[in-house]
Amino acid sequence: MLRRRRGPLGPTIAILVALGFLISWAAGVWTEVLWFDALDFRSVFVTELSAKAVLFVIGFVLTGGLVASSLVVGYRTRPVYAPVTPQQQNLDQYREAIEPLRRIATIGIPVILGLLAGTGAAGQWQTFLLWRNQVPFGRNDPHFGMDIGFFVFTLPWLRFILGFLTMALIMALIAAAFTHYVYGGLQFQSRGEKTTRAARTHLAVLFAALLVIRAGSYWVDRYSLSTKDSRLLTGISYTDATATMPTKAILAVAALMTAALFVASIWTHSWRLPIIGVASLTVLSILVGGIYPALMQNFIVKPSEKSKEAKYLDRNIKATRAAYGLEAVDSQVYKAATTASRDQLRNDADTIPGIRLVDPIVVSPTFRQLQAVKSYYSFPDALDVDRYRIDGRLNDTVIAVRELDLEGVPANQRNWLNDHTVYTHGFGVVAAYGNQRGEDGQPVFYQQNIPPVGPLPAFEPRVYFGEKSPDYSIVGAPAGSRPREFDYPDSSAAGQKNNTYAGKGGVELGSFARKAAYAIQYRELKFLLSDAVNNDSRLLYHRKPLDRVKKVAPWLTLDGNPYPAVVGGRIQWIVDGYTTSADYPYSRLQEIGNATSDSVTESSTAVRSISSGQVNYIRNSVKATVDAFDGTVRLYAWDEQDPILKAWSKAFDGTVLPLSAISGDLMSHLRYPEDLFKVQRTMLAKYHVTDADSFYGGQDFWRVPTDPAQEDRTVDQPPYYLTLAMPGQEERAFSLTTTFQPTGTREVLSGFLAVDSDAGSEDGRRKQSYGQLRLLELPRDTTVKGPGQVANDVNSSNATSDAFTLTLNQFLNQSRSQGSRVTLGNLLTLPVGGGLLYVQPIYVSAQGTSGYPLSRATVVAFGDRLAWSDTLDGALDGLFGGRSGATAGDSGSSTPPPGGTPKPGTTPAPSDAAALAQALEDIQAAYDEGREALQKGDFAAYGEAQEKLNAAIKRAVAAAPKGGSVTVTPGPTGTATPAPTGTATPSPSSTP
């Protein structure tokens, strides 16, 4: 019969599939190169790719070569005539089955194993680059006396090398044994036939090499004990130092001796001695490596563990405090007063006005309802806290970016063209005073509306790169063409203003090749067919701040909460970057994901905990910025003494700018990062104890309180940014704070921690006090209520207030039962008045999607006393005998919710009608002037118009009826009328 010829269809399909994969891969690589080129970070891509490629090739060649050589040597040195034994006769059928596939297997098996091994090796590129670019720490470990850089940089690389070689040799050994056995060179059961010399030599060499590597592993394991984690400590313990380490050395020597026995078997022609050696090594590893240390631990160490481990605990305490940046904690005993008296806050008059009353976690719906303008604009569910200088005074500010949210675009307008070429960017920021509340409980906005109105210097309001930006947008058009991008809504006949992107962000799409590459990358032919994609188009992608920083600095661990700041005429996203390690000797290992998780990360999508992984060293080594308009990424060295940062700066030369390059404007918005602080507070809960004996007892360990503002009190209370002065601190400072309570079930306070988060405002130089940790330790004989107990008091209190006819408990219950929702704001703790003051705002919102929280009351507690009122000022006066001695930031605003009785007011004084009318006309004129300037893109003129507008608003407020207020509503008719509702708030008539 004639053999049927194969048709060309199968090979053609295979070639086309392979070609498709190749083209797709090439398009992906090229588009990545274009993206890095656009940011001027190509060296990062090249360095990372080169390191991965080198490791992949080495891993592939080494593993594939060893396995291939085992298969080839095993086959070529097979006996010419297979031994005639029942065992070999049974193997004949296997040889016959293997033979047709032998050549394919000889190539395929090494290639597959080599690919797997190469891929695994490439994944260690960061370990390789750190080893290759290591720098000394300048500090030695206490046991070996070696520089810590050996443990952080060299030891992980040695462990990888030894582990990789062990894996490769085991695979080669299995391949060799299988081949020799199948083809008769290796005999297991035959009495008359012997293993061939070639098979014996081959296997002996592989076994000897494997045992030499194992000896190296035993020796290196001695150093790895420095980061061994146990119940009591991380690092070398008494048992490790006296039992485990000597046995590791003994096992290393025994492994070398056994390797020598395998080499000797080449000439002795016997497996007897090597087998005895392997058996002895196994027994020795069990007895000496396992049983002996266990006996030492149970019968010598445990009966006297406190004294035996004291030296090693002391090493652990010192190393942990050094690795987590806790060595310089300024700790003091704070005997907190628990009685409240008149004028008790007189000495804290500078701190009280800065108490933040606006909870950035609660008021996001309020920002959205009052300032989103349209449904396709949104704010994050957790806002940010920053500082801005307004009228010469530094103010704590709650700020958010008005970002584009495609989910809010009506469904009938959703299509590829609108999603990627029309709706491309958000617009502006909204900022409110952190320490003030409006008379109706709303935040007091000082930067607001579209176009932006406020005292901040003129800035580019368009947000093309943000946390909610679309996956990609195509922007830009030829000069003179009709603007396609939706810019912002206005009161014109068209109902909107359009814009054409004029920045330098993104990748140029001028050539057909680039359009084709991105069409392949995004599986979208419209890149080639749509007239919206032209020679002047630019493609914006990888737009989220965290994603952009992670791509240009893959070696950084990033803080989970990037925050916006108006700097140098642009909105900049600020991202904190950490260098971490899990190889700092003696430092306690910590699961970083658990340490950075709290009630905010559990409930918010805008703030995330750091991805899981253990660390025992962390530094805030880099401050990164992402320009919201053009996506420019800048990395600034923040901890220039960090050895890990120095190593990465050598590996990626020129990518990290020096600290001296930070402008004073940017410096004024840099703050101490939350995730670092959360890791530090977790460690300090135990490691505030510096005496080894006391640490062993564990009687003074603390824990972070659970968040009492949450219904489910199972997650940690977040730290809070506050402006305050710690006891002994001459001036108040912007700080990040947290509290501690003892381990166990007691809800009393045991400590208060604050870190100075003000970096100053000097070019290239941070404030000397920045990063200073200050710890107040409460004596054990002092009982101060913790956050949980105070929260219980708030929910059950019968305290009355001059501002309401109800008790606090009745007010809460009535608000909840009248179709409203009560939200308890952040429970702040401040060390003032010689004790600890608690402050908590209470928000009430209507049920349903249209409801939003309004601050209706404020609760304060000091010692065993609790008071509340519609303002913080009133609550403090009620708490401290009618006069607290200080004035809060919300002084003068008092409008209670329905059901309450307001304080008796004063009769409004008559206003200056002529001055008020003139001021309102000036407001309208300045507003119109600013809107025209913004439409023309003239930001200098826009800034001048804002200054005129702010001056006119102040004159209008001054001329308004005393005790009242004014709402300013500029409109297209050029009129504006005063009304006694709210604060001075310009609002364009187009705002719904």
Side-chain angles (χ1 to χ4, degrees):
M1 296 178 61
L2 294 176
R3 188 174 182 180
R4 186 176 180 181
R5 293 182 60 185
R6 293 181 180 178
L9 181 60
T12 301
I13 292 175
I15 293 173
L16 290 175
V17 170
L19 188 62
F21 278 113
L22 181 62
I23 293 174
S24 179
W25 174 81
V29 172
W30 190 33
T31 54
E32 282 292 277
V33 172
L34 292 173
W35 187 86
F36 279 97
D37 277 346
L39 285 175
D40 198 23
F41 276 93
R42 176 184 273 208
S43 61
V44 173
F45 180 79
V46 172
T47 301
E48 180 180 344
L49 185 62
S50 299
K52 288 181 176 179
V54 168
L55 292 174
F56 177 84
V57 170
I58 293 174
F60 176 82
V61 171
L62 187 61
T63 304
L66 284 172
V67 174
S69 64
S70 292
L71 294 173
V72 171
V73 171
Y75 179 76
R76 290 188 176 181
T77 60
R78 70 191 185 284
V80 177
Y81 301 103
V84 182
T85 64
Q87 176 186 348
Q88 289 298 319
Q89 289 175 354
N90 292 333
L91 289 173
D92 283 342
Q93 57 182 329
Y94 293 106
R95 284 193 285 268
E96 292 176 2
I98 290 172
E99 188 58 30
L101 302 173
R102 179 181 57 79
R103 294 195 178 188
I104 296 176
T106 303
I107 297 174
I109 292 175
V111 167
I112 292 173
L113 295 178
L115 289 173
L116 294 174
T119 302
Q124 296 295 318
W125 67 274
Q126 292 193 17
T127 304
F128 167 70
L129 287 178
L130 277 179
W131 166 75
R132 191 166 180 265
N133 297 279
Q134 62 181 288
V135 297
F137 267 67
R139 177 181 295 200
N140 294 339
D141 89 286
H143 189 90
F144 297 99
M146 302 174 67
D147 187 88
I148 289 174
F150 167 80
F151 299 89
V152 174
F153 300 124
T154 303
L155 188 57
W157 179 245
L158 290 178
R159 286 199 295 257
F160 164 69
I161 292 293
L162 292 170
F164 185 86
L165 291 176
T166 300
M167 177 269 301
L169 286 170
I170 288 175
M171 288 193 291
L173 189 58
I174 292 172
F178 176 80
T179 307
H180 284 299
Y181 177 69
V182 169
Y183 287 99
L186 178 62
Q187 300 293 319
F188 289 127
Q189 301 175 355
S190 175
R191 296 182 180 179
E193 300 292 340
K194 295 182 178 181
T195 299
T196 64
R197 180 180 180 83
R200 189 187 306 279
T201 302
H202 189 193
L203 295 174
V205 169
L206 290 175
F207 269 116
L210 183 60
L211 285 165
V212 169
I213 297 301
R214 189 69 194 123
S217 298
Y218 279 130
W219 190 259
V220 169
D221 284 347
R222 296 166 62 253
Y223 300 106
S224 297
L225 291 172
S226 62
T227 53
K228 173 189 172 186
D229 203 25
S230 64
R231 172 189 58 85
L232 191 60
L233 55 85
T234 295
I236 298 171
S237 64
Y238 180 88
T239 300
D240 294 328
T242 57
T244 306
M245 291 186 66
T247 59
K248 292 290 184 182
I250 293 172
L251 289 171
V253 174
L256 290 175
M257 294 173 63
T258 306
L261 292 178
F262 271 100
V263 174
S265 69
I266 298 174
W267 291 277
T268 61
H269 306 293
S270 173
W271 292 113
R272 181 174 301 173
L273 290 179
I275 291 173
I276 292 174
V278 171
S280 301
L281 182 63
T282 303
V283 172
L284 190 65
S285 64
I286 295 173
L287 293 177
V288 179
I291 295 178
Y292 173 58
L295 293 174
M296 170 77 75
Q297 178 68 26
N298 286 305
F299 295 103
I300 296 180
V301 176
K302 278 194 174 181
S304 307
E305 189 174 46
K306 183 176 181 179
S307 59
K308 295 288 187 185
E309 300 289 13
K311 179 174 72 172
Y312 305 99
L313 267 175
D314 183 65
R315 293 175 176 177
N316 171 249
I317 293 169
K318 291 178 179 177
T320 299
R321 290 175 66 91
Y324 288 96
L326 302 175
E327 285 183 305
V329 175
D330 180 6
S331 181
Q332 61 176 296
V333 176
Y334 185 64
K335 191 170 180 61
T338 55
T339 57
S341 58
R342 192 178 179 86
D343 289 330
Q344 192 162 342
L345 301 182
R346 184 181 300 276
N347 294 331
D348 299 289
D350 288 338
T351 295
I352 300 304
I355 295 177
R356 180 171 50 76
L357 298 175
V358 179
D359 187 344
I361 310 302
V362 174
V363 298
S364 177
T366 308
F367 271 55
R368 186 167 57 251
Q369 288 289 339
L370 301 180
Q371 285 294 319
V373 180
K374 295 291 184 180
S375 62
Y376 41 76
Y377 288 128
S378 69
F379 297 100
D381 53 13
L383 309 185
D384 292 294
V385 179
D386 199 355
R387 298 134 293 154
Y388 286 86
R389 191 169 295 278
I390 308 298
D391 296 331
R393 182 179 180 85
L394 202 60
N395 293 274
D396 286 5
T397 294
V398 175
I399 188 170
V401 172
R402 186 187 290 106
E403 290 205 57
L404 175 70
D405 184 4
L406 287 178
E407 296 299 322
V409 176
N412 60 356
Q413 296 182 27
R414 295 295 303 273
N415 53 62
W416 183 88
L417 204 62
N418 281 343
D419 286 359
H420 298 292
T421 68
V422 175
Y423 294 102
T424 59
H425 59 277
F427 204 94
V429 298
V430 176
Y433 292 103
N435 63 340
Q436 298 182 25
R437 60 183 288 275
E439 293 186 356
D440 52 359
Q442 299 176 357
V444 179
F445 300 109
Y446 66 79
Q447 189 74 28
Q448 58 189 322
N449 297 347
I450 297 178
V453 175
L456 296 184
F459 63 94
E460 171 57 66
R462 296 172 181 88
V463 181
Y464 285 89
F465 296 86
E467 295 181 286
K468 292 190 175 183
S469 296
D471 289 340
Y472 68 89
S473 291
I474 301 169
V475 298
S481 60
R482 182 175 59 87
R484 181 187 297 271
E485 300 172 46
F486 170 81
D487 202 22
Y488 60 87
D490 71 353
S491 56
S492 65
Q496 66 183 55
K497 288 292 182 182
N498 285 4
N499 176 67
T500 297
Y501 182 69
K504 300 298 182 183
V507 177
E508 296 179 353
L509 290 176
S511 67
F512 175 82
R514 292 189 176 193
K515 296 175 186 176
Y518 284 106
I520 294 172
Q521 179 71 10
Y522 287 103
R523 308 294 190 267
E524 183 56 72
L525 278 176
K526 294 184 180 67
F527 277 90
L528 300 172
L529 303 177
S530 175
D531 62 355
V533 185
N534 53 72
N535 291 336
D536 293 291
S537 293
R538 309 180 76 92
L539 180 65
L540 312 179
Y541 61 109
H542 295 318
R543 303 168 71 178
K544 293 179 173 56
L546 288 178
D547 294 344
R548 293 179 77 79
V549 176
K550 189 63 178 177
K551 286 187 72 66
V552 302
W555 42 275
L556 283 175
T557 299
L558 300 182
D559 192 275
N561 185 21
Y563 61 98
V566 178
V567 177
R570 293 285 182 89
I571 301 172
Q572 299 282 351
W573 294 98
I574 299 175
V575 181
D576 285 286
Y578 309 112
T579 48
T580 62
S581 175
D583 296 294
Y584 194 100
Y586 273 108
S587 176
R588 188 68 176 186
L589 285 165
Q590 170 66 40
E591 187 69 35
I592 194 170
N594 294 338
T596 57
S597 178
D598 57 27
S599 62
V600 176
T601 63
E602 291 295 314
S603 60
S604 169
T605 59
V607 182
R608 295 172 288 180
S609 60
I610 297 178
S611 57
S612 60
Q614 285 193 319
V615 301
N616 66 357
Y617 173 92
I618 185 169
R619 289 290 185 272
N620 178 207
S621 55
V622 170
K623 299 285 188 180
T625 62
V626 178
D627 192 304
F629 182 65
D630 62 19
T632 299
V633 179
R634 293 184 178 89
L635 308 175
Y636 298 98
W638 190 245
D639 187 349
E640 294 182 307
Q641 302 305 313
D642 175 33
I644 299 181
L645 174 61
K646 292 179 180 179
W648 283 122
S649 296
K650 287 175 62 179
F652 297 100
D653 187 32
T655 60
V656 181
L657 301 173
L659 187 147
S660 59
I662 299 177
S663 69
D665 193 5
L666 174 59
M667 187 74 75
S668 67
H669 295 285
L670 300 180
R671 66 189 191 188
Y672 201 83
E674 290 179 78
D675 282 342
L676 173 61
F677 186 71
K678 286 190 278 189
V679 171
Q680 288 177 319
R681 73 172 180 177
T682 300
M683 302 312 299
L684 202 60
K686 286 186 177 180
Y687 286 90
H688 68 279
V689 180
T690 56
D691 176 70
D693 290 342
S694 301
F695 190 95
Y696 180 84
Q699 298 300 312
D700 200 23
F701 286 171
W702 301 338
R703 64 183 175 89
V704 177
T706 56
D707 190 355
Q710 304 296 316
E711 295 181 3
D712 181 16
R713 297 183 185 178
T714 58
V715 289
D716 289 346
Q717 186 179 36
Y720 297 120
Y721 285 106
L722 296 170
T723 295
L724 54 80
M726 292 285 280
Q729 193 175 358
E730 294 182 0
E731 297 180 354
R732 65 176 189 159
F734 185 67
S735 304
L736 189 56
T737 65
T738 191
T739 56
F740 296 101
Q741 60 190 41
T743 55
T745 57
R746 294 186 67 209
E747 293 281 344
V748 298
L749 212 61
S750 58
F752 179 86
L753 177 67
V755 60
D756 193 324
S757 302
D758 184 3
S761 57
E762 190 175 343
D763 289 344
R765 187 176 181 181
R766 65 170 172 249
K767 194 175 178 181
Q768 187 174 0
S769 60
Y770 171 88
Q772 177 62 57
L773 291 156
R774 297 180 175 89
L775 177 64
L776 304 180
E777 299 187 54
L778 276 66
R780 293 186 181 181
D781 59 353
T782 300
T783 301
V784 176
K785 290 183 177 182
Q789 290 183 340
V790 173
N792 183 70
D793 292 346
V794 169
N795 281 290
S796 59
S797 174
N798 289 320
T800 58
S801 169
D802 291 341
F804 298 89
T805 59
L806 306 173
T807 66
L808 177 55
N809 180 261
Q810 290 171 337
F811 167 75
L812 294 174
N813 290 333
Q814 179 175 315
S815 299
R816 288 166 177 155
S817 63
Q818 290 182 343
S820 299
R821 179 182 178 184
V822 174
T823 303
L824 300 179
N826 41 211
L827 182 58
L828 306 178
T829 310
L830 298 96
V832 295
L836 287 156
L837 172 70
Y838 287 97
V839 179
Q840 185 172 43
I842 297 177
Y843 293 87
V844 179
S845 59
Q847 296 284 4
T849 57
S850 61
Y852 54 92
L854 295 173
S855 177
R856 293 306 195 188
T858 302
V859 181
V860 294
F862 190 95
D864 293 328
R865 295 196 62 184
L866 181 147
W868 69 295
S869 185
D870 57 335
T871 65
L872 175 59
D873 234 13
L876 290 175
D877 286 341
L879 183 67
F880 292 99
R883 189 175 67 194
S884 67
T887 302
D890 68 343
S891 175
S893 58
S894 57
T895 298
T901 301
K903 294 179 180 179
T906 58
T907 302
S911 63
D912 186 341
L916 179 59
Q918 182 61 49
L920 293 175
E921 290 181 9
D922 293 344
I923 288 173
Q924 182 65 52
Y927 175 79
D928 293 338
E929 182 181 338
R931 186 169 60 177
E932 292 176 5
L934 187 64
Q935 292 170 357
K936 296 176 181 178
D938 188 348
F939 289 101
Y942 175 72
E944 295 176 2
Q946 294 307 296
E947 293 177 1
K948 296 178 182 177
L949 179 62
N950 291 327
I953 291 174
K954 291 177 182 177
R955 285 189 280 112
V957 173
K962 300 301 182 280
S965 58
V966 61
T967 294
V968 183
T969 310
T973 62
T975 60
T977 56
T981 56
T983 58
T985 306
S987 303
S989 59
S990 60
T991 302

